Structures are given as C-alpha cells and as structure tokens.
Amino acid sequence: MSVAIDASIYARRRARLAARLGKGVAIVPTAPECLRNRDAHYPYRYDSYFYYLTGFREPEAVLVLVGGDTPRSILFCRDKNAEREIWDGYRYGPEAARTTFAFEEACSISELDTRMPDLLADRPAVQVHLGSDPVWDGRVLGWINAVRSRARSGVAAPGDLRDVRVLLDEMRLIKDGHEIALMRRAGEISAAAHRRAMQTSRPGATEYEVEAVLQHEFRHHGAQAPAYTSIVAGGANACVLHYVENNAALADGDLLLIDAGCELDGYASDITRTFPVNGRFSSAQREVYELVLAAQAAAIAAVKPGAHWNTPHDAAVAVLAQGFIDLKLLSGTLDAVLEQESYKQFYMHRTGHWLGLDVHDAGEYKTGGEWRELQPGMVLTVEPGCYIRPAPGVPEAFINIGIRIEDDALVTEDGCEILSAAAPKSVADIEALMRDRHD
Ligand code: GLY
Ligand code: MN
Ligand code: MN
C-alpha cells in the first residue's frame, strides 16, 4: 500500500527546477524494469533524477515539467489495474498519484505519445536526459518532429534541446534537510552493520557469512538494499579494488576489508573498514593501517567550505607518499615520488566522490576548468587506501596487505560532519570491539 509522503519536499524541488526552465519544458522519465533471466526481474530501482523530483517509486512513469509564469508538473503513470494489482501489488493510478504527490495534473502513461506534441508546441526549449537510451532518445525526437510537422498551422517546435542534468546535478549537489536526515540515518545503519561484521569475523568464517550479516543489519533497520555490491575481501582479495566474489574463507593473520553501505529511501552510504580477522593487528599490518588512517585524518581536516575538491586528495597523497618512503616501499625523495606519481603503485584511486541518491553521485568536480569549491550541504566520501601486491623490492611482511578506510563527510559551515562516525576505525577501538566478541 501507499506510505506517508511529504509531497511538499518534491514540489519545492520541482518549483526550483521550473524557475530555471523559463518557458521551456523538462521531461524526466523513471528507470525501466530490467529482466534478470526469463520471468525474473532485477529488484526495481527508480531513476534518481525522477525520484528526486517526485518521490514516486513505481516504474513506467514520466514527469513533464512545463515552465512559464504558472509552471505545471504533469505525471504520466500506470493506470489502476485490478488484475495486475492482485499479482504485483498496489499501484497509485493517476488520480491518487496526483493528490498524494501534489502534481498539478496526472494522466495515464498510455497517453504520453499523444499528449507530448501539444505540450511541446510553441515552447522554446526542451530539457531531457539524452544519450543513455536510444529508444527514449528516438521517442523525444519523434515528439519534436510531430510539432515541427504542424509548422504550417503556425506552431513552432522547440529549437533548443538541452541536457536537463546540467540543472539537476547542481541542485542535487547541495543536500536539503530531508536528504541530510536520510543520509545521517543511512550512515548509522551502515556503521552498525560494520560493527556487527567486526564482531562476526573469525578465522574459518567465510566472506559470504560476513556479507550476510551486513545485509541482515541493513534490512533489519528498514534500508531497502545495499547501495552497491558489498566488497568483503579477506587477505590478498583486498588488493582487488572491485572484488565482489565474497566466497573465500577468512584466514588467521589476514586482514578483512569491507566496503559496504546501505541505501535508505534512495540515499546511499558508502563505508569501508579494514580490520584483522583474528581481532589483533600484526605489527606490519598496524604500520600500514596507521599510515592510511593518518592520510584519512589529513584529508578529512581539509574538508571545509572554500577548500577545492582536490585538496583532501592532495592531503592524503602527501601523507601516503611520505609513509611509503618511510616503510621502504618506495625510494627517493617525497618530491620525486609525488612528481613521478610512483605512489600510484600502492594508491591508484582517487580519495573520494560525491555521495547522495547515487553512490557516485551527480555533480561536476570542476567548474570553468577549476576544481570546485566545497560548500555546506555537499556530501563526499574520504577513502584513502594502500594495496601492496607482490613486486620486486616490496618487503615480505607487507605483501598482500590491502587497506582502505572510507567515511562519508557532510560539509558544514566550519568543517565537516562524519555521517559514518559510528563505525570504529582506530586500532584501539577495533581491537576492543573484537575482543568483546570473545567474551
Ligand atoms: N563503494 C564504492 C566506492 O567506494 O566508490
Ligand atoms: Mn566510495
Ligand atoms: Mn566504498
């Protein structure tokens, strides 16, 4: 059945977008359902842009936002269908969708092709998301051509075709109060899952058992799904950045790297913790771990309004590069290691990304050729790491150590708030929590 919706959140966002449309029209469809095999579908996930503007979670829906002096939002959605609702469950239908989600108008998705040419007639611009689905692109161009074919009756087709993501990405970059509350809660749930994973891990357990604990904790607290495929990587598997097999046994003396976060009402969290399977860091593991933790602290200290996007990354790289020299993983001066980027042998990814409805969220990282300045309301991850694969000259004790520490940071007026802070990360806190599990 339907759930309580605060439609004003989405109506406000539509009003903000409409104010930027002039007399143009924006068309934002939701995502298609996706077949997994034969009659089985992948779990349905709505399109993030569509959801941001509507809060509407059903498939087969399109938002049309008509700009001008009195903007109108029109939802096209599935009709009520007594037969289908017996099989698949409740669907709003246009009338209930209109009142529940505060659209000016709602109609059947079956009317989309006949209504669109009228809605585009005499409109100077149409803003859509082009280039990801050729069938959808063709449909939009078909509506524009249908208007053009009426030119002799004095109707003008839109001359300006734009990417609606340019406007929406800027909006999505600064989170509003509703989004921040959800992302705080998603961070808490995911942090609790990481704590449980630490308490579950022991030699002889398997990566998939630990993954199951994470999933249980997500769903137990009402999160709908993992925000991305969980990485549960013991020992050398942690040096595979996108390891998702999660099928190996955990060995005494190895580290376990877990990169996992839930999605709550559309919003992602993204947390990585690395800890010893047996609950005690070896001295080599601890040395590398403390280095990555120091790099993360330096990066987090750089997350504040006015800092450039790249400043936290540069701060992390400077700490890691010096650490690699100190640990004799690299030779040469700090300047040479930075200049030649030889640190990339052990740290080859970026230190973060925007976070929100998508785990790698919408928003440009540069504007006008310069790294973007951080502003209050932006949310980003801070995730330095170190991955030591076997190679000539690498000290034996460090081989196959893979460590990443990842937190989610909300930029505030004077720094940042760590949304994932409840997941332990100091050596002392991790060892204390894991000691408790033996009691
Ligand atoms: N879990 C995806 C990422 O860290 O970017
Ligand atoms: Mn991440
Ligand atoms: Mn991650």
Side-chain angles (χ1 to χ4, degrees):
M1 282 300 288
S2 56
V3 289
I5 307 285
D6 182 355
S8 67
I9 295 162
Y10 308 99
R12 263 197 307 278
R13 294 179 191 155
R14 292 195 294 273
R16 284 181 60 210
L17 177 61
R20 291 165 169 79
L21 287 180
K23 294 193 182 317
V25 175
I27 311 171
V28 184
T30 197
E33 292 174 285
C34 190
L35 201 61
R36 182 171 184 270
N37 58 320
R38 207 171 282 259
D39 288 339
H41 285 81
Y42 285 104
Y44 181 68
R45 171 54 157 74
Y46 38 79
D47 175 80
S48 296
Y49 292 105
F50 174 86
Y51 181 72
Y52 179 76
L53 293 170
T54 64
F56 193 69
R57 300 185 189 192
E58 289 182 19
E60 297 185 82
V62 176
L63 171 70
V64 179
L65 192 51
V66 182
D69 296 336
T70 38
R72 272 186 312 143
S73 52
I74 308 168
L75 180 77
F76 291 85
C77 68
R78 300 185 302 192
D79 291 306
K80 295 290 289 173
N81 182 322
E83 165 75 7
R84 286 316 321 161
E85 288 180 55
I86 289 171
W87 288 87
D88 302 328
Y90 177 79
R91 42 176 84 177
Y92 279 91
E95 189 45 35
R98 186 184 65 74
T99 52
T100 309
F101 295 86
F103 298 107
E104 276 71 36
E105 192 183 335
C107 42
S108 167
I109 189 73
S110 65
E111 295 174 34
L112 186 65
D113 286 320
T114 48
R115 290 285 312 275
M116 278 316 301
D118 286 339
L119 291 169
L120 294 178
D122 292 326
R123 294 284 165 177
V126 56
Q127 304 237 9
V128 287
H129 175 160
L130 277 183
S132 56
D133 174 1
V135 175
W136 173 256
D137 293 352
R139 240 172 129 184
V140 171
L141 296 175
W143 300 329
I144 294 172
N145 281 337
V147 185
R148 202 168 281 135
S149 70
R150 295 192 217 149
R152 271 170 293 170
S153 62
V155 176
D160 199 357
L161 187 58
R162 297 195 192 178
D163 192 332
V164 70
R165 289 172 294 187
V166 174
L167 297 175
L168 285 173
D169 286 357
E170 287 301 301
M171 290 173 61
R172 283 177 54 184
L173 202 46
I174 309 289
K175 272 62 183 176
D176 61 30
H178 176 75
E179 296 181 290
I180 289 170
L182 282 172
M183 293 188 76
R184 272 201 191 106
R185 182 70 189 131
E188 284 168 8
I189 294 170
S190 298
H194 279 265
R195 287 198 301 272
R196 269 191 65 197
M198 288 175 189
Q199 291 180 305
T200 302
S201 297
R202 46 181 46 78
T206 54
E207 293 168 344
Y208 55 79
E209 283 175 69
V210 178
E211 182 183 7
V213 166
L214 296 162
Q215 307 251 36
H216 179 272
E217 193 70 12
F218 293 165
R219 289 296 286 142
H220 186 69
H221 293 291
Q224 287 79 9
Y228 52 91
T229 306
S230 302
I231 296 171
V232 183
N237 295 336
C239 295
V240 178
L241 296 180
H242 290 163
Y243 176 80
V244 289
E245 286 174 60
N246 300 352
N247 60 1
L250 301 176
D252 200 6
D254 276 355
L255 292 173
L256 176 58
L257 181 154
I258 297 179
D259 184 344
C262 69
E263 179 179 296
L264 179 67
D265 291 344
Y267 286 84
S269 55
D270 183 6
I271 304 180
T272 308
R273 290 292 182 263
T274 311
F275 54 90
V277 167
N278 65 15
R280 297 277 301 171
F281 286 87
S282 72
S283 61
Q285 289 166 349
R286 176 194 279 253
E287 278 186 286
V288 183
Y289 188 87
E290 295 283 18
L291 171 61
V292 177
L293 195 58
Q296 202 215 25
I300 288 174
V303 176
K304 53 187 167 203
H308 287 156
W309 165 259
N310 218 38
T311 315
H313 177 68
D314 288 341
V317 165
V319 172
L320 288 170
Q322 183 61 54
F324 297 158
I325 296 167
D326 297 343
L327 293 175
K328 305 208 176 341
L329 287 163
L330 294 176
S331 56
T333 63
L334 178 60
D335 283 348
V337 166
L338 293 174
E339 169 77 21
Q340 291 156 17
E341 299 188 337
S342 52
Y343 63 83
K344 287 189 173 173
Q345 180 180 351
F346 305 111
Y347 182 48
M348 61 297 283
H349 60 74
R350 305 279 312 171
T351 303
H353 49 82
W354 305 128
L355 185 71
L357 282 166
D358 298 316
V359 66
H360 291 178
D361 205 34
E364 296 295 336
Y365 292 92
K366 281 190 168 179
T367 52
E370 300 291 334
W371 292 112
R372 185 186 276 282
E373 275 189 17
L374 299 180
Q375 293 173 41
M378 293 175 168
V379 181
L380 60 149
T381 65
V382 184
E383 50 177 306
C386 172
Y387 314 91
I388 310 176
R389 287 168 170 269
V394 170
E396 181 71 26
F398 295 135
I399 286 177
N400 289 334
I401 288 180
I403 293 171
R404 179 164 62 258
I405 307 171
E406 175 173 27
D407 281 296
D408 303 340
L410 164 68
V411 183
T412 58
E413 294 298 330
D414 54 2
C416 66
E417 173 187 336
I418 301 301
L419 305 176
S420 43
K425 64 180 174 183
S426 74
V427 166
D429 286 351
I430 290 172
E431 291 190 344
L433 181 68
M434 296 187 73
R435 228 177 356 257
D436 280 352
R437 96 210 131 124
H438 296 302
D439 294 340

